[in-house]
Amino acid sequence: MEPPIIYSKAEFIETDTGNKVSRRATIAGPQNIILGGKTIISSGAIIRGDLRRTGPGHAVVISLGRYCLVGEGCVMRPPYKTYRGNFNYYPMKIGDHVHIGANSVVEAATIGNHVEIGKNCVIGKFTIIKDCAKIADNTIVPPNTVIPALALFSGSPGRFVEDLPESTQEMVEAQTKQYYTRFQPSER
């Protein structure tokens, strides 16, 4: 068993559903951000739920599933494009058991379940990452890329490296649940 990851109880807000959100994270437009439960938002992370489509009342929703980790310094903002002269943001949906490494920037349209994104990655606009994929540290995924299930992508630009084993789903699920269990408040 790996040692616990100790955090300052004063720094994190814990919600009824077990989400742990750092007070040092920037959650812009929280009414448009849905956390599935047992998700950890680390210090310095920025989640932009305040960006809207053209016109009032068209907020864009960012949803994260259960057992997700948004690493320190990550930036998550919905993808956008200009269509017929109108600038629009689009929703971002992230599945369960997704770990996003420190200092990564994510503008994906969809991230499936059991996905690992390394540190210092850039996930381009409207990227679709299928279930059980892995993005290696320092990878830059160009906009509109579709990353197949059980694929490892690496490099700049990110390219397919190899297929991941069928057991990836179980391994990632075990890792995300263990990480959440190890993430313990200090006594103070």
Side-chain angles (χ1 to χ4, degrees):
M1 186 72 184
E2 295 193 46
I5 300 159
I6 302 295
Y7 68 89
S8 159
K9 198 169 187 167
E11 189 197 323
F12 281 79
I13 300 162
E14 187 164 351
T15 68
D16 298 346
T17 52
N19 296 310
K20 295 178 181 180
V21 180
S22 170
R23 292 180 191 275
R24 294 195 189 122
T26 302
I27 309 293
Q31 68 278 10
N32 305 322
I33 298 168
I34 300 163
L35 301 178
K38 299 197 161 128
T39 284
I40 299 169
I41 310 290
S42 304
S43 171
I46 299 171
I47 302 181
R48 297 292 306 271
D50 60 333
L51 305 171
R52 30 182 91 254
R53 294 180 177 202
T54 337
H58 288 92
V60 173
V61 173
I62 297 179
S63 66
L64 284 92
R66 302 181 68 228
Y67 290 103
C68 292
L69 169 70
V70 178
E72 292 191 8
C74 278
V75 177
M76 299 182 71
R77 57 180 174 243
Y80 62 87
K81 68 181 173 195
T82 303
Y83 177 71
R84 292 190 176 162
N86 288 328
F87 181 87
N88 276 313
Y89 285 99
Y90 293 83
M92 178 189 289
K93 184 170 183 352
I94 296 170
D96 297 336
H97 304 284
V98 174
H99 266 204
I100 301 170
N103 302 312
S104 288
V105 176
V106 179
E107 291 186 282
T110 311
I111 298 175
N113 299 317
H114 306 93
V115 171
E116 290 179 273
I117 296 173
K119 297 191 285 282
N120 306 312
C121 292
V122 176
I123 309 300
K125 294 191 298 255
F126 296 104
T127 294
I128 295 172
I129 302 176
K130 304 279 191 180
D131 293 351
C132 304
K134 182 172 182 171
I135 314 294
D137 290 354
N138 308 309
T139 297
I140 296 180
V141 177
N144 305 309
T145 303
V146 176
I147 296 181
L150 292 167
L152 171 62
F153 265 57
S154 181
S156 175
R159 289 193 170 80
F160 175 79
V161 176
E162 64 181 3
D163 286 313
L164 296 170
E166 291 292 323
S167 59
T168 297
Q169 179 174 338
E170 292 78 33
M171 290 186 326
V172 172
E173 190 160 325
Q175 285 168 344
T176 57
K177 285 182 172 173
Q178 184 188 42
Y179 187 95
Y180 184 83
T181 304
R182 287 168 53 212
F183 198 75
Q184 297 293 327
S186 64
E187 297 310 307
R188 298 181 264 120

